[in-house]
Each structure stands twice: as structure tokens, then as C-alpha cells.
Amino acid sequence: MQIAISGGKGGTGKSTVAINVAVELAKKFRLVLADLDVEAPNDHLLLGVELQNEREVNQFMPKFDYSKCIKCRKCAEVCEEHAIITLKDGTPFLMPTLCSGCRACEIVCPVPGAIQEGSRLIGHTYVTPTPYNFILVTGKLREGEERSMPLVVAAKRRAKEIEKELLIVDTAAGTGNTVSKAIEGSQLLIAVTEPTPLGIHDTELILQLGKLMGIETWVVVNRADLGDVGEVRKRAEKYGARIIAEIPYSENIVKTYVSGRPIVTTDYPEAEIFRKIADEIYRFLRG
Amino acid sequence: MQIVIASGKGGVGKSSVTASLLYLLKDEYKLIAVDADAEAPNLGLLLGVTEWEEEREHIGAKIARINTETCIRCGICMQRCPYECIYIDDEGNYVVNELTCEGCNVCGLVCPVPGTITLEQVRSGVIRKATTKYGFPIISAQLDVGRPESGKLVTEEKEWAKQIMKELNLEHMIVDSAAGIGCQVIASVGGADVAILIAEPTPASLSDVQRVYKVVQHFHEPAYLIINKADINPGFTKLREWAESEGIPILGEIPYDSSIPKSMSMLKPFVEAFPESKASLAIREIAEKIKEEVIQ
């Protein structure tokens, strides 16, 4: 089973919801939480743990053997990223930062061995035990690397290797294809939003994505007292999504957020809201 | 001059601060605003833009499609797709998931039946232009849901902004970048003269702003820092210490102020909606510093 926590806009509280729901659901399931916000992974900070078990994510990069290259230019022609340029005589050169590692050049090259296996480190994945009886998998893109897709794929793959009953994925902000890659395979999508016009605008996009992917979608309204929840409700209804919780702006949440302690492990009254969200998810998964 | 505003982490107040800075700088300078958060563009909303004057479709993304009539179901495409975007549907057909495809065409190259897999150009999004009620223009990009290449959309967007700057004889481009450190942010930061980083005093925001700072360093751009929601986490001194150790000048601190979320609901820069609020007083000082130290 897999569920996804997403939200369109950045900073709406995706990770807060993800870690708290994970702590609660770990009491019922053997669970893995995957932080797939590979450009800005923060779940480990919110859980107060240090990333462990680092594994490199390397990407293929063509290495030209110029003694074999026949300068046919096929590699450059086929490169959708225009990462390979050729000189007048056809000699190919790679612009490494543009290369996506897809191997199209290697596939079309007519001379065996003319394109050799090179690689570039583009980031890391981590598998970190938490004190809350679940495992955190984190993908982290290297600074300066443009493509988050390979890291999302690698981190999700590593999360899937672990024996478990439930995978919770925490996605990046936005609604591009890396977010859909993270969500892919989920039975349930939880969109965390805030009721400001900005939050509502972005929620509409994530609801659209949920609909396109054919995934049951719920909405959690964070900082619900800062705006008009009625407007969120309208959008949610339009996409057949249900609002399952409203979380008020709370200094207790901020306090626990910055101290690396999930609020569900405290006695603060707000903890109950997250427990209820976890209960709803539990009932859904147990169907 | 091109100034990029970045934060790494989402939700630290990048767009709110940008909108207010634009408001404070607009009388003295000829500006253009660029909302480069193509997956969640919000700056236009904060500046009260309700109608766009011009919209350009961006046809740039490529998506592979498999012709089920000629497909021999050998499965090679599925094995070779680097991003695991090909699946078998209920009827046993090999299908490309259009919401995750990166458009690399590897499936098309390995397919043994010519013409079965084609790479089709699709719309990746739109770029829009409006003139704000404050007089300066804004350009905003919107990636279509599930599409790749938001970075290319941002690059295109900045090209258009440059054109407008020439036509209207504008002096400065203020770019509000996306969260993260990926292609959109690299496209936003690349080519800028100066970066203004915005962070809040939390471990998560510190971690993310450190990451985006590395991207800024890569382009050898001078950076400045604004600390937002400066008082939400008393005792957290690491953000300030980091900036000082890196030699990043701190332009100022903005306290947490409920007038900011309220102004967001009013779709106005907070300095316009609540000019006497604590946050507004702070950003006025910051704007003065930007005039003196950054723009000169």
C-alpha cells in the first residue's frame, strides 16, 4: 500500500503532516516514509534524526573514445537535451550539466566501444531508522544538479526495497512530472493546503493532478484560521475531494516543528488533529 | 540589473517579501517582475493581477507515445525507460505514463518496430504578461500539470522579460524563484547579478537556504540574506551565524506578523495593506538598504 502527501504550494505543511501521520500509523503498520522532496528534503530534521546509510546516485554520462568515433553525429542528433555538440568535422563533445543520463547516444552509436560508460554523482539516498518504529528514506539532489527526476526514481526504488506494509511518500512542492512520479502508485493522495488565495490556487492544480492520475484525494487545510476554508471546500468539491481536517495556526506546532519532535508525541491539544487524520487514513487503508 | 530572490525552502515568505519590495522600489526604479515559480506561480496574485494581457503557449515538452496497433509487446521499451514511465494497462497494452515521461526518447530508439513509438511535442505550459496596477509589468509562467522541463519554461520567460525591458527601457528585473534547487531555480539564478536569499530561523529553512546558496556560488553571484519570521524561534542563532561565517550581508529581519497572511487574503503586498505593521516597518528599512547596497 502507498499513500502520498503533497500540496501544490511550498510551505503549506506537507512534511509536518507526513511525519506526524507516519509516527501514528507506525503503531499499526510496518511502515516506510519516503522524503521525495529531493531538492529540499527536511523530514529528517523534523524527526530530529541524522541521515544514515548514504548511497550514491550516479548517472550515466557518455565518454567518447575518439580513437573509435567515426564522427557520424548520430549521438548529437538523438540527444533531446542538446547535451552533445559536434565540431565541424563531427567530433562530439559533451556538456555534462545538460546530460540527463538517458543513454540515447549510446543506443544509437554504430561503433561498439566508441561511447563508453562514464558517470556523474548527482545525489544521494539515505535509509535512516527513526525512534518512532519506522524507517525514513530520503533522496537528496546535489547542489547544482538540475534534474530531480533520477533522484526521485532512485529514492523511491530504495524505499520499495525495504520490507513493509505501507509506504508514505512526501512530495516536493509543485505539480510537475517529478511530483507525479512521487505520487504514482498511491491509493490515496492527501493535499495539504492553506486557505489563502495563493494556497487555493495551487490546491486546484494538485487536485487536477490527483484527478488525472485517478487517485482518491483528500484535503487537509493547514493554518485554517488564516483564510476562507469555504473557498477551499468549493475547489475540493469540484474535484470530488473531501476535506478531512482543519489545522489552526498554532505556536505549539511551530515549536515542535523547530525542535525536531513530532507533535503527536506531545500532550499539546493539536496532536489530536493529526491523530484523527491518521485514523481516517487507517480506516481507508483497512477499507 | 537582474536580482533573483530565492529561499530553497517553500513557504518562508519569498513571494510576500518580493511583492512588498517591488511595491517599495517601484517609484524610484523602472522594474519588471518575473514569477519564476512555474509550478506554483503566486506573485501575480499578490500584486492583484486578475487579467493577463498576453499569453504565449510554450510548446517544448516532449512525450513518447506508443502505437498499440503496431506494438509487438516485446517489453524492451519498458525495460529500458530510465525513469520507469512505461506500464502495461489492463488490456495488456504498453503505455507511456504522460504525467511522468521525461521525453528522452530512449523507448523510441530501442523499439524494434519502426514508427511504433513516436516522440510528440506537447504544450509544457504558458507564459503570461500583465501590467500591474502599480505600473510595472509582470511576467509569470505556469507549467501544465505533470509536465517536465519547468526550467526551460523559466528560461523562455526570462528571455521575454529581457525583450520587454528593452522595449520599455526598464532598468531592473526582479525574479521570484521557485522552491528547491532544481532546474527552475538554476534557470532563475543563472544570469542574475545578485541573489537575495530569504530564510526563517528554523533548521529546515537553514538547510535549504544553504543548498540554494551553493547554487548561487556556482554562478559567482553576490548574495544577501533577509531573515523572515525572525522571532518565531528564539534561541535559534545558527542562521545568523551561518550568514556571518559565509560573509553574506544580512539586509534585515522581518518579525512574524499576522498582517502578512491577512494581506495575502486581500491580494496586496503587506506593506501596502498594513503600512504601519511591524513587518512593514522592517521591510521599509530593508528596501532602503537594497537601494543603497544592492542597486546603488
Side-chain angles (χ1 to χ4, degrees):
Chain A
M1 292 185 296
Q2 184 190 313
I3 64 169
I5 319 278
S6 194
K9 187 173 146 17
T12 57
K14 283 184 294 291
S15 296
T16 304
V17 171
I19 60 142
N20 281 292
V21 160
V23 170
E24 277 303 295
L25 288 175
K27 296 171 185 165
K28 312 234 164 102
F29 297 102
R30 255 182 304 132
L31 182 133
V32 171
L33 171 64
D35 188 353
L36 301 183
D37 185 0
V38 301
E39 295 181 35
N42 286 321
D43 288 0
H44 59 290
L45 297 171
L46 272 51
L47 287 163
V49 294
E50 298 234 358
L51 294 175
Q52 292 178 31
N53 299 307
E54 180 175 281
R55 194 189 277 177
E56 290 187 349
V57 179
N58 287 294
Q59 176 182 286
F60 167 81
M61 242 177 27
K63 234 168 74 186
F64 303 108
D65 182 340
Y66 293 111
S67 67
K68 292 182 181 152
C69 173
I70 56 166
K71 300 178 179 143
C72 67
R73 292 197 166 96
K74 282 193 173 135
C75 55
E77 282 161 18
V78 83
C79 179
E80 289 295 334
E81 299 303 328
H82 308 294
I84 299 173
I85 48 165
T86 52
L87 300 185
K88 260 188 181 156
D89 71 345
T91 308
F93 281 99
L94 179 74
M95 292 187 282
T97 53
L98 294 179
C99 175
S100 75
C102 73
R103 292 181 185 269
C105 51
E106 186 196 40
I107 292 165
V108 297
C109 178
V111 185
I115 290 185
Q116 296 184 344
E117 187 88 16
S119 79
R120 183 172 87 229
L121 179 67
I122 56 164
H124 296 88
T125 60
Y126 301 85
V127 171
T128 311
T130 70
Y132 308 106
N133 199 31
F134 68 86
I135 291 169
L136 173 69
V137 174
T138 307
K140 198 171 177 185
L141 184 72
R142 239 179 120 188
E143 296 91 351
E145 289 297 329
E146 300 212 11
R147 300 175 167 275
S148 37
M149 182 63 94
L151 252 296
V152 173
V153 172
K156 207 169 171 182
R157 209 179 276 163
R158 199 164 177 200
K160 283 182 174 170
E161 285 170 9
I162 302 167
E163 167 79 26
K164 71 203 159 297
E165 294 165 312
L166 177 62
L167 173 63
I168 302 179
V169 300
D170 180 16
T171 83
T175 50
N177 69 339
T178 55
V179 173
S180 25
K181 189 79 218 174
I183 295 172
E184 188 179 44
S186 300
Q187 281 86 52
L188 178 65
L189 167 64
I190 295 177
V192 184
T193 179
E194 49 183 32
T196 61
L198 284 68
I200 290 161
H201 171 260
D202 297 338
T203 306
E204 179 136 21
L205 297 173
I206 194 78
L207 291 173
Q208 243 177 53
L209 185 61
K211 188 149 201 184
L212 277 171
M213 298 183 82
I215 298 171
E216 162 114 17
T217 305
W218 294 353
V219 176
V220 168
V221 187
N222 197 12
R223 303 181 194 111
D225 41 354
L226 294 185
D228 183 2
V229 179
E231 276 301 312
V232 182
R233 188 157 288 124
K234 269 189 222 160
R235 308 300 162 104
E237 274 167 15
K238 184 172 154 195
Y239 290 92
R242 186 162 71 89
I243 296 181
I244 57 153
E246 292 178 23
I247 306 168
Y249 176 79
S250 132
E251 293 201 351
N252 292 335
I253 296 176
V254 178
K255 244 186 262 172
T256 54
Y257 171 87
V258 297
S259 67
R261 203 159 39 108
I263 196 161
V264 289
T265 64
T266 70
D267 296 331
Y268 290 124
E270 293 87 343
E272 199 45 41
I273 306 172
F274 291 95
R275 286 193 200 110
K276 276 194 182 139
I277 298 171
D279 276 352
E280 286 255 10
I281 296 170
Y282 177 73
R283 281 202 295 275
F284 172 84
L285 293 173
R286 278 284 171 254
Chain B
M1 184 178 219
Q2 197 184 118
I3 300 172
V4 60
I5 302 188
S7 67
K9 186 167 157 28
V12 298
K14 212 173 343 84
S15 298
S16 301
V17 171
T18 306
S20 280
L21 285 177
L22 283 161
Y23 181 84
L24 290 171
L25 298 173
K26 67 177 172 19
D27 294 331
E28 216 159 312
Y29 304 101
K30 291 198 234 163
L31 308 169
I32 182 165
V34 176
D35 187 352
D37 186 354
E39 294 187 34
N42 287 146
L43 189 61
L45 282 172
L46 274 178
L47 294 168
V49 174
T50 48
E51 272 174 51
W52 298 93
E53 290 153 23
E54 202 182 331
E55 187 169 288
R56 293 183 183 175
E57 283 200 334
H58 184 66
I59 315 287
K62 287 177 180 169
I63 301 288
R65 293 219 167 93
I66 301 174
N67 181 351
T68 47
E69 305 279 304
T70 54
C71 171
I72 55 167
R73 301 180 181 188
C74 64
I76 292 173
C77 57
M78 196 166 100
Q79 284 161 27
R80 296 293 292 270
C81 171
Y83 309 113
E84 301 171 7
C85 299
I86 297 175
Y87 65 99
I88 304 171
D89 71 5
D90 296 340
E91 280 135 43
N93 294 318
Y94 285 81
V95 184
V96 177
N97 184 343
E98 293 194 9
L99 297 173
T100 57
C101 178
E102 286 265 286
C104 70
N105 201 30
V106 162
C107 53
L109 295 171
V110 296
C111 176
V113 190
T116 291
I117 301 185
T118 47
L119 199 60
E120 285 170 32
Q121 281 216 321
V122 292
R123 201 179 96 145
S124 46
V126 292
I127 307 170
R128 304 179 169 115
K129 178 192 171 224
T131 305
T132 62
K133 62 183 171 209
Y134 310 105
F136 60 83
I138 177 170
I139 301 276
S140 182
Q142 171 85 64
L143 187 77
D144 286 349
V145 166
R147 286 287 178 249
E149 304 190 334
S150 42
K152 285 187 186 156
L153 201 61
V154 170
T155 304
E156 191 88 353
E157 182 187 18
K158 281 173 77 174
E159 283 306 313
W160 192 8
K162 277 183 211 157
Q163 245 179 38
I164 295 168
M165 285 179 84
K166 259 191 210 149
E167 284 161 20
L168 301 179
N169 204 12
L170 305 176
E171 302 162 288
H172 304 297
M173 185 197 296
I174 314 277
V175 183
D176 183 12
S177 88
I181 56 163
C183 57
Q184 285 191 84
V185 178
I186 289 175
S188 302
V189 173
D193 298 295
V194 166
I196 295 178
L197 307 174
I198 300 184
E200 55 182 31
T202 65
S205 178
L206 171 62
S207 165
D208 295 342
V209 80
Q210 285 173 332
R211 279 160 69 69
V212 84
Y213 179 61
K214 282 197 187 160
V215 175
V216 170
Q217 279 181 306
H218 176 82
F219 290 104
H220 306 288
E221 290 164 14
Y224 297 84
L225 177 70
I226 295 174
I227 302 178
N228 196 18
K229 306 180 201 169
D231 49 354
I232 56 164
N233 191 11
F236 187 86
T237 52
K238 284 184 186 157
L239 178 61
R240 188 168 262 283
E241 284 161 18
W242 167 74
E244 280 162 7
S245 73
E246 291 286 350
I248 303 168
I250 298 173
L251 291 168
E253 293 188 354
I254 304 170
Y256 179 81
D257 189 332
S258 58
S259 72
I260 296 183
K262 270 185 219 148
S263 68
M264 280 160 83
S265 299
M266 297 158 75
L267 300 179
K268 278 186 179 172
F270 62 80
V271 70
E272 182 190 17
F274 299 99
E276 298 309 320
S277 65
K278 285 185 296 175
S280 295
L281 300 179
I283 197 138
R284 269 210 202 93
E285 270 182 44
I286 291 171
E288 285 309 314
K289 262 191 143 170
I290 289 177
K291 287 181 200 171
E292 286 163 25
E293 291 179 28
V294 182
I295 301 177
Q296 287 154 352

